[in-house]
Each structure stands twice: as structure tokens, then as C-alpha cells.
């Protein structure tokens, strides 16, 4: 009877305690802050559906593991934080969920911060089911982060994060102080959606620590996330602290790599990298000490050097903390590279041949040592190049029991792979492994810890399976199940599904259609001349073309300084048109400020005459693509001016500048001025393709006496062009150390095409 009485008393006390828990509904920021200030363990604060403009939420409280304090939306996704909003969390056991940040930017250092001040930090706090979409600063040079981790045991999960285009990593983990180290933060089941190319460094999707914390233990867990088209820069994830874990993530067509930039002892395991033949997609780049790289699967990777499927770098002897330490004591085992073109690169970044223009502290001459490369699989039925490329001696790498399957003729006298011929082709199936492996697996020290495969199947002593996968394998095609990542209530927009064609016959109809058209719509111009006397500002994507290919329309601009003013997200396609201007007008200009989001220009089969410049881009602007094909430019003072980004910090004004099969006649100054300043080996862009063009009677007024100026640009294709009667000292000056060589160009009565092996640049760091 006594036992029954005590049990009843305990139940009564629990019930009484539960009755004290509070559910609080709030409809404005004052009510919200008051509810937060009065909150206690177990409370649930519910924000009313609607737009919360300039909501600067400081969420502080002391919950418990069993009774966290919860801040949530009334309906997931219908509490929209716009304008200058942010969320700060501090205290213990707080949960914020189902919020939606869009149409604005943070006025603070970040959008979501796991602290309210340096003395008010978050522990065991969680943000879940939340979306941050294009909540980016207007100025692309204004640095912020979207999520900042402080404290310990904090968590971000089941959220969608996409669209950051200004400077600064999307997510950053801070380790400055004992209260932040050994933090065991969890970042899992999120969808990191497209991050646009920034045009320079400092645009990682994730950075864990800093160079000053490269010897600091973090233990951050980054698991089960999707990284889709995270193209901000060459590093998707930059690990700058110790003992971090990157496992079971999917990297889909992301133009960068997982990089152990300054930290040691990282685990990189069970990740899937899907390149789909994009030549700029990367995989894993290894720097520093003690990493374990196992069970990773690479599919159709074509990146090279810094963006190769696997890049193991050379280091700098006695390197300072912010540079490249030597790779030592790394295990690379049971990984699979499937239909990848030369995916494995060793001694990446060796630059001893640039000693004449670099200080000794920048020379990467320390080769990898005590590296084990074992039990790895390469399957290749499409390419003939051997899978490994070495830029220096690789005598510090031990190759053991690796298998290359190919139906191509390859070098069979290598010891790093056993070569076996195959007759089958894979097609578009995503996963592959041989049904059986007759060879012997390497069983080195610690290899018994590699006890599961990519999908968690158990490995045991009786199995003899090479690569990342134990058979049988799925015949799943190269697709990703988006439904298992991110906020369950949110589906990213896929663009205009109802593209309309607007047929116009005169200038007034033309201007009305420009205004009324939705993004991605088409304007079809009937034959005739359209006299335009106002600047066309563009912040959406449009295509303008002649209705009849054999009867071109002519657009003539008059009495204005700019024909097309490109604004953020403005993308213009011009096709089969004649464009006329005056010597006081720029064909294209960009806004002088607030150009955080990229613009784009696509010109195909058009004729352009009589402008001051074809394009004059501001310092603040960045174009993702400028593509010109089969077009003619005559009697203009300047061509493409992409030369305002002169701070020499590795930034530049366009990612892809492609000009093919086009004619330039009587351009008074340079035809192209494309500038990237600063020695920053992590910046891979920009990219210029100049092929099959004709240049005549141009350059006579150019002060630099260079017709095609590409100073500091890393990737240049310069082939099959014809230069005739151009009055410049140099047609171009190419950078030999970056592999730039003129190919099959014809130069008559024009300046020299000069190749300079090394170009002296100001150090960025």
C-alpha cells in the first residue's frame, strides 16, 4: 500500500509540474522578446504566421535536456523574417524551428548566431527546420556569415540554406577560447543549396575554425548533408581545426572540394561526390597531418589540380599557420572513382619553378610522406589517361593493392595499381563495384577499423571487396533523393514554368514588354527599327530576338549614357539583332553599388556599332557568364572592360568570359581588359575562352598597348584567332606557368603574342 501511495504521489507531482508549462502565442517582436525574457524550461513560444520585418530576435533561456525552451513558427515556413532580421541564441537547451529568412539581410555579423554576446553563449542549443534563402548583403564585398557556431554541443539540422553571394563563408565555427573547443557541434541532414560563384576567395559554404586554430580540437560533426551546386569558391568545406568528421554527405555538382586547409586528424568517410562531367567540380583536397579518407565514392569527376577528385598537396617547409603544412601520416583507403578522368593528383601546388617571383615562405616543396594509398578502386571505360597525375616525386606514398578496371589501353608497368581489362560499360548507373575481387587486400595497422562500407555494410575477415562498396549494388541512376534533406515543408523554386513569348512591333510595345515580362520570358521583335531613348534597367532574365531570322530588327539607342543597365540577377540574351548607339553611350553598364547577386550577358548572332564601350563593369559587380558567339562589333571606343577589381585580393569581375567566332573592327582601345590581382593560389578563376575570332584595325589609342589584356587571369584558352592591322605593342601577354599558350593564331601587322612564364603579383595573405 505504501508503494502504491508513493507512486500516486509521484504521478500527481509530475502532473502538477506539467500544468506549469506554458504555451505562449506572440504576434509582434515586443511580445516575443517579453515571452523570451519570462521563459522557463519547457515553455513553447509560438510566433504568429505572417511577415516579421526587421525582427532582431535575442533568444536567451535556461532549458533542460528533457524540457527545452522552444521557439517555433505557428505553421512551418509561414513565419517569414524579412528586412534586417537575425536570430541569436544563448543559454542552454533552446530549440528554434521552422522559421523562414528571405527578402533581406542581417545588420549584424550573421543571420543565426549561437551566442548573444561574447559572455552569453549557447550550449546544447538547436536550430531545425529553418530556411535561409538569398538573405544576402546588397554589397558583395560586405562580409558576413549566415550561421555562426559558438559554445559547445549546438546543432543545425533539417534546414535549407542557399543563395549567399556576398563575402564570407555561409557557415562558420568559432574556436577562440576554451568555451568553444572540443565542441562536438552537429551539422546534419541539411540541404546546402546553390551558392553562386563569388569571383574570388572567402566564399566557402562551411569553415570550421581559422588558421590560428589549426592546432585546436573541434570535433565538429558534419554528416548526412546534401551540398548542391555550392560554387562560391574552390573550397566547399574548409577544415581549419582538429578531429572534425565529414561523413555520409552528398556533394552534387559543387565546384569546389572538401579541404583539410589547416586542421589535422579529420575523418572523411562515406561521402558521395557526383560531378556529372562538370570540369570544375572537385572532391577532397588533403593538407596537413593524420587524416583518414575512406569509403568515399566519386562519380564522373573531371576536375584537375585543386579541383581534382583527390588532390594531395605539397606543403611549405616550416610553414606559418596560414599557409600549407606538409601532408603526413594520412590513410586513403577503400575509395572508388567511377568514370573519372585522371581523378587522383599528388603534389598539387608544387611551385618551385616560381622561386624568382615568390618569397621562400611561399614555395611549396615539401612532398607528402608517410601516406598509405590502399585498397582503392578506379573504374574507367571512357578515358585513356592514367588515373594518377604526379607533379613531383611521390616517394612518400605507399601504394598497396589498388585496382584499375578499364577497357582502354593504359600503362601496365605501374606498381600503384593492378590493371585489369573489362569489356562492359557502366552507362548512367550511379553505383558500381566489381562482383568479385581475386586479389589480396592490404591489411595495415588500423585497417580493421574500416569495418563498414559506403552504405554501412559490415566488412569482415572473410570478405575481400575492394573500393567503397561491398556487392551487390543498386542500379540506381545518377540522381539524388532530395526529400531526405533540408526542411520538410520547403521546396526550392525551379524557375518560370510558364515561359511566354511577347511579340512586339514598335518601341512603345517593346518597352512595355520589358516591364511586364516575367523572368525567362522571350521578346520577339518584328522587322523594323526600334528607337529607344531611355535606359533599360534589367533585374530579371529575358531573351530578346528578331521574329524573323532573315529580317533582323534594329534597336537604336539615343540620348542616353547607357543602353542596358544590369542590376542584380539581370540576365540578358540578345539574338539575331542589330544594335546601334553613339560614342557617348555604353552598350552595357552595371550598377555602381549593391550588386551582390550576379548578372549575365549572352550575345549570339548580333551586330553592335558605335558605342563608347561594349561593357563597362563596376568594381562592385560580378557576372557569372558573359558569352558571345558569332557576333560583330564595329566602331566602338572600348570593348569589354572588366578591370575595376584592383584591390589585388584575388577577386575579379566575371567567372566565364567566352568569345567565339566573332569579329571586332575599329575598336579604339583594348578589346578586352580582364583583370585579377593578387597571388592567391586558392582562387581558380577567372576563365577566358577566346577562340575563332577576328580582330582588325583596333587598339590604336590603348595606353597599355595590349589588345587583349588578361593580367592575373588563371585559365585562358587562346586559339584559332586572326589578328590583322592592330596598332598595339602586344596582342596579348599570356601566363606560361598556368599553361597558357597561343594555339593556331594568325598575326599580321599586329602586336606580339608574348608568353611570360612567371607574373609577379602582390601576395593576398
Amino acid at each position: 500500500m505504501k508503494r502504491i501511495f508513493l507512486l500516486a504521489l509521484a504521478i500527481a507531482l509530475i502532473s502538477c509540474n506539467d500544468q506549469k508549462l506554458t504555451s505562449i502565442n506572440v504576434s509582434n517582436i515586443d511580445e516575443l522578446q517579453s515571452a523570451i525574457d519570462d521563459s522557463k524550461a519547457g515553455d513553447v513560444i509560438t510566433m504568429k504566421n505572417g511577415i516579421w520585418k526587421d525582427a532582431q530576435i535575442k533568444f536567451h533561456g535556461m532549458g533542460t535536456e528533457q524540457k527545452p525552451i522552444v521557439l517555433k513558427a505557428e505553421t512551418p515556413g509561414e513565419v517569414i523574417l524579412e528586412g534586417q532580421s537575425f536570430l541569436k541564441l544563448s543559454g542552454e537547451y533552446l530549440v528554434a524551428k521552422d522559421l523562414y529568412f528571405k527578402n533581406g539581410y542581417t545588420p549584424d555579423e550573421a543571420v543565426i548566431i549561437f551566442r548573444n554576446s561574447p559572455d552569453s553563449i549557447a550550449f546544447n542549443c538547436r536550430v531545425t527546420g529553418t530556411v535561409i534563402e538569398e538573405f544576402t548583403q546588397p554589397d558583395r564585398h560586405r562580409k558576413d556569415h549566415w550561421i555562426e557556431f559558438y559554445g559547445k554541443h549546438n546543432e543545425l539540422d533539417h534546414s535549407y540554406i542557399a543563395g549567399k553571394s556576398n563575402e564570407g563563408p555561409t557557415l562558420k565555427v568559432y574556436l577562440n577560447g576554451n568555451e568553444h573547443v572540443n565542441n562536438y557541434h552537429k551539422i546534419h541532414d541539411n540541404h546546402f543549396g546553390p551558392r553562386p560563384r563569388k569571383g574570388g576567395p572567402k566564399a566557402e559554404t562551411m569553415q570550421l575554425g581559422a588558421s590560428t586554430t589549426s592546432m585546436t580540437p573541434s570535433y565538429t560533426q558534419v554528416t548526412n548533408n546534401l551540398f548542391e551546386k555550392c560554387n562560391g569558391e574552390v573550397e566547399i568545406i574548409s577544415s581549419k581545426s582538429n578531429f572534425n568528421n565529414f561523413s555520409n554527405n552528398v556533394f552534387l555538382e559543387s565546384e569546389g572540394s572538401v579541404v583539410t586547409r589547416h586542421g589535422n586528424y579529420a575523418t572523411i568517410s562515406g561521402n558521395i561526390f557526383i560531378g556529372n562531367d562538370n570540369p570544375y567540380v572537385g572532391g577532397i583536397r588533403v593538407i596537413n597531418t593524420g587524416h583518414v579518407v575512406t569509403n568515399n565514392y566519386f562519380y564522373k569527376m573531371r576536375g584537375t589540380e585543386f579541383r581534382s577528385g583527390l588532390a594531395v598537396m605539397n606543403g611549405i617547409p616550416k610553414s606559418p599557420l596560414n599557409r600549407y603544412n606538409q601532408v603526413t601520416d594520412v590513410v586513403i583507403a577503400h575509395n572508388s572513382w567511377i568514370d573519372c578522368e585522371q581523378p587522383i593528383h599528388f603534389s598539387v601546388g608544387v611551385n618551385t619553378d616560381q622561386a624568382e617571383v615568390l618569397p621562400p615562405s611561399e614555395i611549396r616543396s615539401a612532398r607528402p610522406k608517410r601516406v598509405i594509398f590502399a585498397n582503392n578502386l578506379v573504374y574507367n571505360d571512357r578515358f585513356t589517361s592514367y588515373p594518377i597525375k604526379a607533379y613531383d616525386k611521390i616517394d612518400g606514398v605507399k601504394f598497396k593493392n589498388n585496382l584499375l578496371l578499364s577497357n582502354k589501353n593504359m600503362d601496365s608497368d605501374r606498381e600503384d595499381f593492378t590493371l585489369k581489362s573489362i569489356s562492359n560499360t557502366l552507362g548512367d548507373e550511379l553505383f558500381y563495384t566489381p562482383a568479385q575481387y581475386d586479389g589480396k587486400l592490404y591489411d595495415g595497422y588500423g585497417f580493421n577499423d574500416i569495418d563498414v562500407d559506403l552504405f554501412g555494410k559490415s566488412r569482415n575477415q572473410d570478405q575481400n571487396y575492394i573500393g567503397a562498396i561491398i556487392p551487390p549494388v543498386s542500379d540506381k541512376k545518377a540522381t539524388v533523393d532530395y526529400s531526405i534533406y533540408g526542411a520538410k515543408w520547403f521546396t526550392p523554386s525551379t524557375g518560370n514554368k510558364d515561359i511566354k513569348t511577347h511579340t512586339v512591333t514598335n518601341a512603345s510595345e517593346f518597352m512595355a514588354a520589358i516591364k511586364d515580362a516575367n523572368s525567362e520570358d522571350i521578346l520577339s521583335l518584328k522587322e523594323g527599327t526600334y528607337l529607344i531613348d531611355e535606359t533599360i534597367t534589367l533585374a530579371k532574365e529575358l531573351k530578346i530576338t528578331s521574329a524573323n531570322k532573315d529580317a533582323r530588327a534594329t534597336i537604336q539607342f539615343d540620348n542616353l549614357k547607357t543602353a542596358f543597365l544590369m542590376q542584380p540577377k539581370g540576365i540578358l540574351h540578345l539574338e539575331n539583332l542589330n544594335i546601334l548607339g553613339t560614342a557617348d553611350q555604353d552598350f552595357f553598364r552595371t550598377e555602381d553599388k549593391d550588386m551582390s547577386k550576379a548578372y549575365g550577358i549572352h550575345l549570339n548572332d548580333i551586330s553592335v556599332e558605335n558605342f563608347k564601350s561594349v561593357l563597362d563593369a563596376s568594381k562592385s559587380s560580378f557576372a557569372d557568364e558573359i558569352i558571345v558567339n558569332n557576333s560583330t562589333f564595329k566602331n566602338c571606343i572600348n570593348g569589354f572592360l572588366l578591370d575595376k577589381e584592383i584591390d589585388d585580393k584575388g577577386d575579379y569581375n566575371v567567372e566565364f568570359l567566352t568569345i567565339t567566332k566573332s569579329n571586332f573592327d575599329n575598336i579604339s582601345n583594348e578589346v578586352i581588359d580582364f583583370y585579377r590581382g593578387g597571388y592567391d593560389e586558392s582562387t581558380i578563376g577567372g576563365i577566358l575562352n577566346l577562340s575563332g575570332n577576328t580582330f582588325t584595325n583596333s587598339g590604336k589609342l590603348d595606353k597599355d598597348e595590349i589588345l587583349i589584356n588578361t593580367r592575373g587571369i588563371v585559365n585562358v584558352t587562346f586559339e584559332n584567332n586572326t589578328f590583322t592591322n592592330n596598332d598595339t605593342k602586344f596582342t596579348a601577354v599570356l601566363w606560361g606557368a598556368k599553361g597558357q599558350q597561343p594555339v593556331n593564331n594568325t598575326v599580321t601587322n599586329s602586336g606580339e603574342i608574348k608568353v611570360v612564364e612567371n607574373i609577379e603579383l602582390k601576395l593576398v595573405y
Side-chain angles (χ1 to χ4, degrees):
M1 178 67 80
K2 182 178 180 181
R3 183 179 301 171
I4 294 173
F5 172 76
L6 292 175
L7 179 61
L9 178 62
I11 293 172
L13 290 172
I14 292 171
S15 299
C16 182
N17 188 51
D18 283 344
Q19 291 174 1
K20 295 179 181 180
L21 302 182
T22 307
S23 180
I24 308 165
N25 298 321
V26 296
S27 58
N28 59 58
I29 193 66
D30 291 333
E31 292 179 1
L32 172 60
Q33 201 59 55
S34 178
I36 290 171
D37 293 343
D38 296 337
S39 65
K40 58 186 179 300
D43 284 355
V44 177
I45 304 170
T46 302
M47 298 174 67
K48 183 179 179 181
N49 290 346
I51 295 175
W52 291 62
K53 189 173 179 61
D54 299 334
Q56 300 179 8
I57 304 170
K58 298 180 179 180
F59 186 16
H60 177 80
M62 299 299 291
T64 68
E65 185 174 4
Q66 292 75 28
K67 296 180 181 180
I69 302 172
V70 178
L71 171 64
K72 72 182 188 71
E74 179 183 0
T75 304
E78 294 189 24
V79 169
I80 302 171
L81 291 87
E82 294 190 348
Q84 298 188 46
S85 296
F86 59 69
L87 169 65
K88 296 183 177 182
L89 305 92
S90 63
E92 294 190 19
Y93 293 104
L94 310 180
V95 177
K97 60 188 297 187
D98 301 332
L99 304 177
Y100 189 5
F101 290 87
K102 69 174 183 176
N103 299 328
Y105 58 93
T106 178
D108 209 284
E109 62 194 68
V111 181
I112 297 174
I113 314 173
F114 285 91
R115 74 174 188 180
N116 267 289
S117 72
D119 298 320
S120 183
I121 302 164
F123 297 91
N124 299 293
C125 293
R126 178 186 180 199
V127 174
T128 183
T130 290
V131 171
I132 310 177
E133 185 182 35
E134 295 192 357
F135 209 69
T136 197
Q137 296 288 338
D139 180 359
R140 77 183 183 109
H141 293 297
R142 162 72 157 84
K143 181 180 178 180
D144 70 3
H145 310 114
W146 279 6
I147 301 144
E148 289 184 350
F149 276 84
Y150 294 89
K152 297 184 180 182
H153 298 285
N154 296 313
E155 187 172 1
L156 174 73
D157 67 279
H158 296 92
S159 294
Y160 178 82
I161 315 292
K164 189 177 193 294
S165 55
N166 63 302
E167 184 174 308
T170 305
L171 181 154
K172 184 165 182 177
V173 174
Y174 281 89
L175 295 122
N176 301 330
N178 290 337
E179 63 272 37
H180 310 296
V181 305
N182 297 307
N183 55 67
Y184 290 93
H185 297 314
K186 295 180 180 179
I187 302 165
H188 64 93
D189 295 287
N190 302 290
H191 182 174
F192 290 93
R195 170 150 193 181
R197 304 176 184 105
K198 173 185 169 286
K202 301 179 183 178
E204 305 94 330
T205 295
M206 192 177 294
Q207 185 184 103
L208 312 183
S211 58
T212 54
T213 64
S214 62
M215 304 304 290
T216 303
S218 181
Y219 291 99
T220 298
Q221 310 295 304
V222 181
T223 59
N224 300 297
N225 302 284
L226 170 61
F227 295 84
E228 179 191 12
K229 295 182 179 177
C230 294
N231 300 341
E233 60 140 276
V234 72
E235 296 182 9
I236 304 167
I237 297 177
S238 185
S239 183
K240 298 185 176 183
S241 49
N242 292 340
F243 304 107
N244 295 315
N245 176 26
F246 309 99
S247 296
N248 307 114
N249 303 287
V250 175
F251 296 85
L252 176 61
E253 297 179 13
S254 290
E255 295 178 353
S257 301
V258 176
V259 182
T260 59
R261 183 63 174 86
H262 293 311
N264 304 299
Y265 308 108
T267 297
I268 308 176
S269 181
N271 302 286
I272 299 172
F273 297 84
I274 302 175
N276 287 337
D277 291 327
N278 181 327
Y280 304 104
V281 167
I284 298 170
R285 180 152 55 97
V286 180
I287 310 156
N288 288 52
T289 293
H291 309 300
V292 176
V293 180
T294 59
N295 285 327
N296 298 286
Y297 191 89
F298 305 84
Y299 179 78
K300 293 189 177 181
M301 310 288 286
R302 292 185 61 198
T304 60
E305 296 186 81
F306 282 73
R307 280 182 166 133
S308 54
L310 174 72
V312 181
M313 290 196 64
N314 263 23
I316 297 169
K318 299 180 181 179
S319 173
L321 288 178
N322 67 338
R323 307 311 299 129
Y324 287 89
N325 278 297
Q326 185 178 22
V327 174
T328 63
D329 305 294
V330 169
V331 173
I332 303 167
H334 282 291
N335 302 284
S336 295
W337 290 268
I338 307 301
D339 270 348
C340 300
E341 183 177 7
Q342 200 160 31
I344 302 159
H345 291 220
F346 282 99
S347 289
V348 171
V350 60
N351 59 353
T352 52
D353 58 348
Q354 298 181 52
E356 63 184 58
V357 296
L358 293 174
S361 61
E362 289 294 317
I363 300 302
R364 294 187 292 270
S365 60
R367 301 191 297 272
K369 65 180 181 180
R370 298 192 302 276
V371 173
I372 298 174
F373 187 91
N375 303 341
N376 297 292
L377 168 69
V378 173
Y379 172 101
N380 198 331
D381 64 21
R382 301 190 301 157
F383 303 109
T384 58
S385 57
Y386 201 78
I388 289 179
K389 182 170 183 178
Y391 300 86
D392 203 339
K393 294 179 181 179
I394 50 176
D395 48 359
V397 181
K398 180 189 291 184
F399 294 93
K400 291 290 184 179
N401 304 84
N402 303 289
L403 176 64
L404 168 59
L405 300 177
S406 179
N407 59 10
K408 307 293 183 182
N409 292 323
M410 295 193 182
D411 181 2
S412 61
D413 295 328
R414 303 281 294 261
E415 296 181 355
D416 38 26
F417 277 93
T418 297
L419 176 61
K420 290 191 176 182
S421 297
I422 54 173
S423 58
N424 61 307
T425 58
L426 187 61
D428 61 352
E429 294 176 2
L430 175 53
F431 297 116
Y432 171 82
T433 198
Q436 63 182 20
Y437 174 57
D438 298 328
K440 182 181 179 182
L441 291 179
Y442 178 72
D443 186 20
Y445 179 79
F447 271 57
N448 59 321
D449 292 332
I450 311 172
D451 55 359
V452 296
D453 77 344
L454 172 67
F455 299 116
K457 295 179 186 176
S458 177
R459 298 182 186 273
N460 60 58
Q461 292 180 350
D462 297 328
Q463 294 172 329
N464 200 37
Y465 297 122
I466 200 160
I469 301 176
I470 297 172
V473 298
S474 166
D475 60 355
K476 180 179 177 182
K477 306 300 180 184
T479 58
V480 171
D481 184 359
Y482 289 87
S483 67
I484 63 176
Y485 303 101
K488 301 303 181 185
W489 54 264
F490 180 78
T491 301
S493 172
T494 56
N496 183 1
K497 295 182 181 298
D498 186 23
I499 297 173
K500 292 182 171 60
T501 297
H502 306 259
T503 301
V504 298
T505 61
N506 57 56
S508 60
E509 290 179 358
F510 175 73
M511 294 304 296
I514 292 281
K515 179 180 178 182
D516 296 339
N518 292 321
S519 189
E520 301 182 50
D521 279 0
I522 300 169
L523 276 62
S524 179
L525 279 58
K526 294 290 188 179
E527 183 181 6
T529 299
Y530 295 74
L531 185 62
I532 307 300
D533 60 0
E534 58 181 298
T535 295
I536 298 172
T537 58
L538 199 67
K540 55 189 173 184
E541 182 171 1
L542 291 179
K543 179 179 179 179
I544 304 174
T545 183
S546 293
N548 187 342
K549 185 175 182 180
D550 297 324
R552 285 190 178 200
T554 298
I555 303 175
Q556 183 170 347
F557 292 94
D558 197 14
N559 296 324
L560 60 145
K561 291 184 178 180
T562 304
F564 290 99
L565 181 63
M566 305 305 291
Q567 296 182 324
K569 300 182 76 172
I571 301 174
L572 184 60
H573 305 256
L574 297 179
E575 186 173 298
N576 194 30
L577 296 165
N578 298 321
I579 312 289
L580 300 177
T582 73
D584 296 324
Q585 300 169 352
D586 297 307
F587 184 19
F588 290 100
R589 283 190 67 88
T590 62
E591 293 279 14
D592 290 331
K593 61 180 182 178
D594 295 346
M595 283 292 292
S596 174
K597 298 172 184 175
Y599 71 98
I601 297 171
H602 300 252
L603 309 177
N604 183 45
D605 193 20
I606 69 168
S607 173
V608 178
E609 295 188 45
N610 303 330
F611 283 96
K612 178 183 177 183
S613 65
V614 178
L615 167 65
D616 194 354
S618 67
K619 181 181 186 298
S620 67
S621 68
F622 176 72
D624 195 65
E625 292 181 333
I626 298 174
I627 298 177
V628 180
N629 180 60
N630 196 34
S631 296
T632 299
F633 302 85
K634 292 182 179 180
N635 304 325
C636 297
I637 297 174
N638 301 291
F640 294 83
L641 302 180
L642 298 149
D643 58 347
K644 308 299 190 305
E645 189 62 83
I646 56 174
D647 290 342
D648 291 349
K649 297 296 184 181
D651 294 316
Y652 45 95
N653 289 117
V654 59
E655 191 71 34
F656 294 95
L657 176 58
T658 302
I659 302 177
T660 55
K661 300 179 183 178
S662 295
N663 301 312
F664 295 84
D665 181 42
N666 195 29
I667 310 298
S668 300
N669 292 304
E670 63 262 272
V671 174
I672 296 171
D673 196 347
F674 187 6
Y675 184 89
R676 169 193 169 273
Y679 174 76
D680 169 31
E681 68 288 335
S682 293
T683 301
I684 304 301
I687 299 165
L688 171 65
N689 180 1
L690 198 69
S691 302
N693 305 288
T694 299
F695 303 84
T696 56
N697 303 312
S698 296
K700 57 182 175 292
L701 299 181
D702 183 49
K703 294 180 181 179
D704 294 331
E705 295 190 280
I706 303 176
L707 189 68
I708 311 295
N709 195 342
T710 62
R711 178 172 173 79
I713 302 304
V714 175
N715 303 283
V716 175
T717 300
F718 201 94
E719 61 187 24
N720 299 318
N721 302 292
T722 299
F723 300 90
T724 305
N725 298 329
N726 298 292
D727 190 11
T728 56
K729 183 176 181 180
F730 299 106
T731 291
V733 179
L734 303 181
W735 194 352
K738 300 299 181 183
Q740 299 175 15
Q741 294 292 331
V743 177
N744 199 32
N745 298 283
T746 301
V747 180
T748 304
N749 195 28
S750 298
E752 172 190 4
I753 301 176
K754 185 177 182 180
V755 178
V756 177
E757 190 62 25
N758 293 313
I759 295 177
E760 187 170 359
L761 297 172
K762 179 181 176 181
L763 294 178
V764 170
Y765 299 101

